[in-house]
Amino acid sequence: MGTSFLADARGRTVRYLRLSVTDRCNLRCLYCRSDARAHDIPHDNILRYEELLRLVRLSVARGVEKVRLTGGEPFARRGCMAFLGMIRAEFPHIDLRVTTNGTLLRGEEATLARMGVNAVNLSLDTFDAARFARITGRDMLAEVLGVLEGLVTAGLRVKINAVAMRGVNEDDLPEFLRLARDMPVDVRFIEFMPMGSETCWSPDFFWPASDILRRANRLAALTPAERMREEGGPARMFSIAGGRGRFGVISPLSNHFCATCNRLRVTPDGRLRTCLYADREYGLRGLLRHPRLGDAAVARVMELACQDKPLGAELLRARRGNAVAAKGMSRIGG
């Protein structure tokens, strides 16, 4: 047991740690890596797996109950599967999850299930092959759909994350509803966020959750779903009449959930970020590698940083029409 919980001045207690293990990705999605001039973080500046495990250890001792590995694409980093095993071996009861584009997972779905990964978030924005290639820069839709089937077959809980883009993937909504009806998965449409100084976000692309739900209700009989005990997340989920899965929306722009935010993020190069929208970061890598400071100093910085955890909605309002963060998602962690 730790000496204290990670809590902020607004009474929000941190229970959720998102670790970005790499900024590298084999896709270049238009909403994530829209800054073509960005360079990969040098390898020596990326946190080692042992350092990431120390952060998990410090966080769990202070009340964190859920850990998610993100990227970039986490499985683009060699040894990511083994690292998941390291976390599970030391923390058998933690809620362990991963977000992936699925393109590098073929044949490993059962491994994740045996390891006891609690859920996999799979990024999938369209069922049209040509549209998938335009959005991601790669013609890999068939691979992703194959992994989706493999994850479900392995018995894993699967959440589909689709970035909602007006004029881009609106036509896919009926197919996503069919997927949620036919398979035991959660399909979530996420409002496109203006992240990164070179973002391609514009009001023309913005497809608000309210419009998505209006259209979805014309296509299927949706009923607000009872929240699962372990959820407590930002998605508003709906059961589908006669369906095996659920459909939902995440509305970080039009209907924010900052008052209940319980998460911290660590970037691939070891910077603690208390809010997705806030560019203020706290360097942990130097402390982790310092011969005399180490874990005690890291824990102290985490505790102090939490005290200044802002309300992202206030930052968003202040910069309406402009990028809300200088860094793109791939350098922060999806």
Side-chain angles (χ1 to χ4, degrees):
M1 295 293 293
T3 57
S4 63
F5 290 105
L6 296 171
D8 66 26
R10 294 178 172 85
R12 297 173 294 179
T13 301
V14 173
R15 301 293 188 187
Y16 181 11
L17 179 67
R18 298 175 68 100
L19 292 177
S20 182
V21 300
T22 181
D23 64 322
R24 288 156 172 78
C25 186
N26 58 327
L27 303 182
R28 188 167 288 276
C29 298
L30 60 87
Y31 50 79
C32 181
R33 300 189 64 138
S34 52
D35 185 356
R37 297 173 297 179
H39 299 290
D40 290 334
I41 298 170
H43 179 74
D44 288 345
N45 291 347
I46 299 290
L47 287 186
R48 304 167 189 134
Y49 284 133
E50 295 77 10
E51 294 165 341
L52 289 165
L53 189 60
R54 286 165 61 190
L55 291 177
V56 174
R57 197 175 294 134
L58 288 167
S59 301
V60 170
R62 287 158 179 80
V64 164
E65 300 168 343
K66 178 163 70 173
V67 173
R68 177 180 300 280
L69 301 192
T70 71
E73 166 51 40
F75 294 104
R77 180 172 177 178
R78 185 181 304 172
C80 183
M81 192 71 73
F83 178 53
L84 279 166
M86 291 166 61
I87 299 175
R88 176 54 78 217
E90 184 165 347
F91 306 101
H93 303 299
I94 200 170
D95 187 340
L96 180 60
R97 306 186 177 204
V98 63
T99 295
T100 175
N101 63 34
T103 60
L104 303 175
L105 261 184
R106 195 62 175 150
E108 298 291 346
E109 302 94 334
T111 303
L112 291 175
R114 286 194 300 270
M115 195 177 291
V117 169
N118 296 87
V120 176
N121 284 18
L122 186 67
S123 298
L124 176 63
D125 303 306
T126 180
F127 290 92
D128 180 88
R131 188 175 297 155
F132 184 95
R134 287 197 301 273
I135 293 172
T136 69
R138 300 285 300 276
D139 181 11
M140 300 189 75
L141 176 62
E143 287 87 338
V144 177
L145 294 179
V147 165
L148 168 59
E149 185 173 342
L151 292 169
V152 172
T153 299
L156 282 154
R157 185 179 178 196
V158 178
K159 298 181 180 183
I160 306 296
N161 287 345
V163 176
M165 295 170 283
R166 188 185 296 280
V168 177
N169 59 354
E170 287 179 276
D171 293 344
D172 284 286
L173 182 58
E175 190 65 28
F176 276 107
L177 287 165
R178 276 193 290 272
L179 176 68
R181 184 182 295 114
D182 296 342
M183 297 182 76
V185 299
D186 282 354
V187 174
R188 295 107 56 84
F189 269 47
I190 306 171
E191 290 178 344
F192 185 8
M193 293 179 286
M195 299 295 297
S197 59
E198 301 294 326
T199 181
C200 65
W201 187 93
S202 78
D204 293 337
F205 277 136
F206 182 56
W207 188 13
S210 57
D211 286 0
I212 297 169
L213 287 176
R214 259 194 302 273
R215 188 174 303 183
N217 271 297
R218 292 198 294 266
L219 296 169
L222 302 181
T223 303
E226 291 187 14
R227 296 184 73 83
M228 296 181 181
R229 192 185 319 172
E230 77 278 11
E231 276 182 337
R236 286 178 283 157
M237 300 304 302
F238 299 82
S239 300
I240 301 176
R244 301 175 66 196
R246 304 187 302 172
F247 179 80
V249 292
I250 300 177
S251 51
L253 271 66
S254 66
N255 187 14
H256 71 83
F257 33 85
C258 298
T260 58
C261 179
N262 66 348
R263 65 190 64 185
L264 294 177
R265 297 172 183 266
V266 176
T267 66
D269 52 348
R271 299 175 186 274
L272 179 68
R273 200 172 178 109
T274 61
C275 174
L276 176 61
Y277 293 157
D279 279 324
R280 184 174 184 183
E281 297 176 336
Y282 304 82
L284 302 181
R285 187 183 70 242
L287 298 175
L288 287 164
R289 297 180 181 179
H290 196 284
R292 293 184 300 278
L293 296 176
D295 290 359
V298 172
R300 183 59 177 157
V301 169
M302 293 175 72
E303 291 163 3
L304 292 173
C306 283
Q307 288 299 305
D308 290 329
K309 182 176 168 68
L311 284 173
E314 294 178 353
L315 303 175
L316 186 66
R317 280 194 294 269
R319 304 193 65 176
R320 184 168 296 278
N322 297 302
V324 76
K327 288 183 176 180
M329 288 297 292
S330 64
R331 296 175 78 85
I332 296 172

